[in-house]
Amino acid sequence: ADAALVVAADPASELNPAARKHLADIGVVALDYGETETTRSARGSCTLAPYGLATPGTIYRMDDVSLPARPAVRSAYPPAEEVLRGIARAVGALP
């Protein structure tokens, strides 16, 4: 891989040292809702609006019933979908 795009995960705090070094060598762009070890060590990062709190979506009950979710709060940060679509357009994956 030439680079890694990490979305809402923190592999830098969970992977073994060799894997963390490999990520650092290829470069990481991290998208997350808050600061993590991965966002701090990434070459680029973007804070996202918290899913399910500041963005609409779908939540699932324990019995697999899906429920629509409305934003409960406003966020100064963009939703993950908006950032990912922007990245895809920038690299030519979307028109």
Side-chain angles (χ1 to χ4, degrees), residues 7 9 11 15-16 18 22 27-28 41-43 53 55 58 63 76 80 91:
V7 182
L15 296 175
N16 66 48
H22 179 68
V28 170
S41 62
R43 291 192 186 168
L53 185 61
T55 62
T58 303
D63 58 357
V91 299

Side-chain angles (χ1 to χ4, degrees), residues 8-87:
D10 189 18
S13 69
E14 298 178 17
L15 296 175
N16 66 48
R20 286 195 305 266
K21 182 182 180 320
H22 179 68
L23 284 176
D25 289 345
I26 64 170
V28 170
V29 173
L31 311 177
D32 213 327
Y33 311 106
E35 188 176 292
T36 66
E37 189 173 334
T38 301
T39 62
R40 286 190 298 275
S41 62
R43 291 192 186 168
S45 68
C46 179
T47 302
L48 303 171
Y51 180 78
L53 185 61
T55 62
T58 303
I59 56 176
Y60 291 88
R61 296 187 333 201
M62 294 294 288
D63 58 357
D64 290 328
V65 173
S66 64
L67 301 168
R70 296 186 319 263
V73 298
R74 291 181 189 233
S75 177
Y77 302 108
E81 181 180 6
E82 181 180 312
V83 174
L84 291 168
R85 286 185 186 280
I87 291 170

